[in-house]
Amino acid sequence: MTGTQRRQQLIEIGRALFAERGYDATSIEEIAQRAQVSKPVVYEHFGGKEGLYAVVVDREMSMLLDMITSSLTQNRSRIRLEQVALALLTYIDERTDGFRILLRDQPATTTDGRYSSLLNEAVNQVSHILAGDFGRKDFDTSLAPMYAQALVGMVSTAATWWLDERKPSKEVVAAHLVNLCWNGLSNLEADPQLSSEWRTDKGD
């Protein structure tokens, strides 16, 4: 096995173990055992467990972010929403181990949650798109980040739920998510108000 092939093998084994057990419960010894190599071979490629974990996570984040980014930039209007929802669900469906790693516990030296960082990047992109849409409709563009948080959060939460449910199909889930998003965005009010005033003077 060439050095490149060995590195790829260790990454795949590490990805499976990190997804199954989490970072803390996975050991270099077990990774080496599954690869049928000595522990120094793993250290030679990655410097340790944290180095291997970082490579695994960076690959998963890059793959998922690329899928989301291409969906946001290559389509327009409703199709764009459909492709974003499908991109996330397809990633979960095809790379379940990778998604579980992004959701699971992180090394103590890691300050930011990987999945939350990725979602923040998605929110920034959606916010930019919505700001353009709001501007064309004479809506308050300063509210675009709030709407972006709401939209990305809704899709993300539903996708995390689907991780374990796996039904209905990802196409059906995406269609319903877009139904809620699109019909909501299509009927936005420029200056929404609460339907009733909340009184603070309870003595009356």
Side-chain angles (χ1 to χ4, degrees):
M1 193 176 284
T2 66
T4 301
Q5 290 171 331
R6 179 66 71 190
R7 181 180 174 85
Q8 184 60 35
Q9 179 203 31
L10 292 171
I11 290 172
E12 292 302 318
I13 289 173
R15 189 167 73 94
L17 285 171
F18 289 138
E20 178 185 342
R21 302 184 179 180
Y23 177 81
D24 290 334
T26 299
S27 68
I28 286 290
E29 183 176 8
E30 186 170 9
I31 293 170
Q33 186 178 31
R34 287 203 183 184
Q36 297 183 333
V37 298
S38 62
K39 289 194 292 185
V41 173
V42 183
Y43 287 112
E44 179 185 345
H45 280 278
F46 304 102
K49 183 173 71 170
E50 187 172 340
L52 173 57
Y53 184 85
V55 170
V56 169
V57 170
D58 285 345
R59 285 192 173 198
E60 295 302 322
M61 285 189 65
S62 294
M63 180 173 293
L64 179 51
L65 188 57
D66 285 347
M67 293 172 70
I68 292 175
T69 300
S70 63
S71 299
L72 285 170
T73 57
Q74 293 180 7
N75 301 290
R76 296 181 61 82
S77 304
R78 181 166 183 156
I79 295 176
R80 184 166 55 198
L81 291 174
E82 291 175 355
Q83 293 303 313
V84 169
L86 269 176
L88 181 53
L89 293 169
T90 297
Y91 172 81
I92 292 173
D93 191 33
E94 296 179 353
R95 297 185 69 85
T96 302
D97 283 354
F99 189 69
R100 290 190 189 280
I101 290 171
L102 296 181
L103 290 178
R104 291 193 74 143
D105 53 306
Q106 312 294 323
T109 54
T110 302
T111 56
D112 296 325
R114 303 289 186 175
Y115 188 52
S116 61
S117 297
L118 187 145
L119 290 181
N120 286 337
E121 179 63 29
V123 166
N124 289 336
Q125 295 189 41
V126 173
S127 178
H128 177 73
I129 292 170
L130 288 180
D133 292 340
F134 281 15
R136 287 188 289 274
K137 295 181 179 180
D138 291 327
F139 285 6
D140 185 352
T141 56
S142 68
L143 296 177
M146 181 186 69
Y147 278 90
Q149 288 279 358
L151 289 172
V152 172
M154 180 181 71
V155 174
S156 171
T157 301
T160 304
W161 162 81
W162 189 76
L163 173 65
D164 293 318
E165 294 292 327
R166 297 304 174 97
K167 57 183 182 182
S169 70
K170 63 184 179 183
E171 291 80 9
V172 171
V173 173
H176 282 276
L177 286 173
V178 172
N179 181 39
L180 179 57
C181 293
W182 181 255
N183 287 316
L185 289 173
S186 298
N187 296 288
L188 282 184
E189 299 172 350
D191 184 25
Q193 302 290 328
L194 294 177
S195 57
S196 61
E197 292 291 332
W198 290 95
R199 298 178 63 86
T200 57
D201 50 339
K202 298 182 179 179
D204 291 350

